[in-house]
Amino acid sequence: MSAASNIHSLLARLLPARIAPVPARPRQRQRLFAGVGMPSQRAPLGERFGLVSRLDEAVDLQAVYSDLRRLALEGNVAALNDLGWIWLNGKYWIADTQLAGHLLRMAALQGSAAAWFNLGQQHYFGKGVEVSYEQAAECYRQAFERGMLHAAAALGDLYEEEICDAEQDWQVDLVEALRWFMKGAKRGEARCRFEVGYRFLHGLYVQSDSKAGLYWLELAAAAGVMQAAEELAVHYSSRDAARYLDWRDQAILMGSNLALTMKLEDQIQP
């Protein structure tokens, strides 16, 4: 029997014919939903199309599941990851973290960057497994190597002291955190660009370089990172009135309460 046939046979046994719906208590369901990981079928920025909107708007979740199950059995790795992601979280049907882990590992071994990232999230949050930063870091590295740029931000966060559990056998390394943020920034990851720009501008774990800091912050702001626009507004507030007003107003358009407060203060100043 071929490897593909083995996988199909195993999947056919793992995937139930019907899902177990979550009890209809929408407010409680939303509170319990941690939003761990991400699906493969994500909507482009500014668009509604994607797995989450499809699930949120579904009249019949069983029909959506049956479609994903069919695709997974046909060898669609994205559908396999998405089923693992849904069972990991338990928002749309009752969670099964053990099944989720099986599906995500199968998708990861077939090259899915999203599945590697989701496995990292499973180990980081301890959903059905022991919390392990070491395992999470290795999964994030695998995801990044396969093109999941957001994994660089996850690794940067993981190496930062304030998010790490003291009970974990894990070495905080702020220089390593910056290295991963820089890796992501160079590849175009917007959040990483903000983190790098902020550190250069303020001289955090790196020699202060305002030119480099502003460069990365502007790239992040152009990609829609509100905090980057806020930082630029604050920076230019005492240096360049025209640039200050431009970044302040851009931050307001992004939804910044800080920038709105700055505008109100500007209006009442003599």
Side-chain angles (χ1 to χ4, degrees), residues 157-197:
D157 288 338
L158 195 58
Y159 280 104
E160 295 227 290
E161 183 173 7
E162 58 265 29
I163 68 158
C164 287
D165 188 332
E167 295 181 359
Q168 285 289 311
D169 183 19
W170 176 254
Q171 183 63 51
V172 171
D173 190 335
L174 301 179
V175 174
E176 185 70 1
L178 177 60
R179 188 176 78 87
W180 277 105
F181 286 134
M182 182 61 79
K183 276 178 171 280
K186 289 180 177 178
R187 296 274 297 275
E189 210 284 324
R191 158 87 192 294
C192 287
R193 287 180 165 181
F194 164 73
E195 297 291 349
V196 170

Side-chain angles (χ1 to χ4, degrees), residues 68-115:
L68 289 171
R69 184 181 187 276
R70 175 185 58 79
L71 290 170
L73 290 173
E74 290 174 355
N76 188 306
V77 179
L80 188 58
N81 169 72
D82 290 348
L83 287 169
W85 172 76
I86 296 169
W87 263 303
L88 186 66
N89 284 283
K91 179 183 180 184
Y92 300 103
W93 50 79
I94 292 177
D96 185 334
T97 53
Q98 184 177 13
L99 176 56
H102 288 317
L103 299 178
L104 292 173
R105 282 190 292 275
M106 292 174 71
L109 291 174
Q110 294 180 74
S112 170

Side-chain angles (χ1 to χ4, degrees), residues 191-206:
R191 158 87 192 294
C192 287
R193 287 180 165 181
F194 164 73
E195 297 291 349
V196 170
Y198 185 89
R199 283 159 176 74
F200 272 116
L201 190 63
H202 296 285
L204 297 176
Y205 325 124
V206 67

